Amino acid sequence: MKARLHCVAVGLMLWMGSSRFGEGTANPGIVVQITRKGLEYAHQYAIAILKKELSTIKVPNLSGHFRIRWVGSVSYDFHR
């Protein structure tokens, strides 16, 4: 819920900034500064979402082998 409110607030600020586009400014645009605290928040939020998504994925067991010219034969087994 907190993240949605944050996204709405950022969206409103961007919209308000861009709505004054034709007021005669020499170089219209948006300047954004991302702080370390903001990056840490985004990192924690992304990790939480990834953990949630990865817990729902079912990976099948895979095994096999192949040959690499300089190494030789390689076998692999992936289990969950």
Side-chain angles (χ1 to χ4, degrees):
M1 185 67 175
K2 222 184 227 187
R4 287 186 183 183
L5 290 175
H6 177 67
C7 289
V8 169
V10 169
L12 286 174
M13 287 189 294
L14 290 173
W15 177 71
M16 288 183 345
S18 66
S19 66
R20 299 184 330 186
F21 181 70
E23 289 186 6
T25 58
N27 189 11
I30 297 172
V31 176
V32 177
Q33 181 177 4
I34 300 174
T35 62
R36 173 152 319 272
K37 187 175 181 180
L39 287 175
E40 289 173 3
Y41 172 77
H43 178 258
Q44 290 174 356
Y45 184 73
I47 293 294
I49 288 176
L50 283 174
K51 283 183 180 180
K52 182 180 175 185
E53 290 294 322
L54 288 175
S55 68
T56 63
I57 295 174
K58 302 293 184 202
V59 179
N61 294 334
L62 300 172
S63 63
H65 63 277
F66 58 93
R67 184 160 176 75
I68 299 176
R69 185 182 308 179
W70 299 288
V71 177
S73 182
V74 177
S75 297
Y76 59 91
D77 291 314
F78 292 109
H79 301 282
R80 291 188 40 91

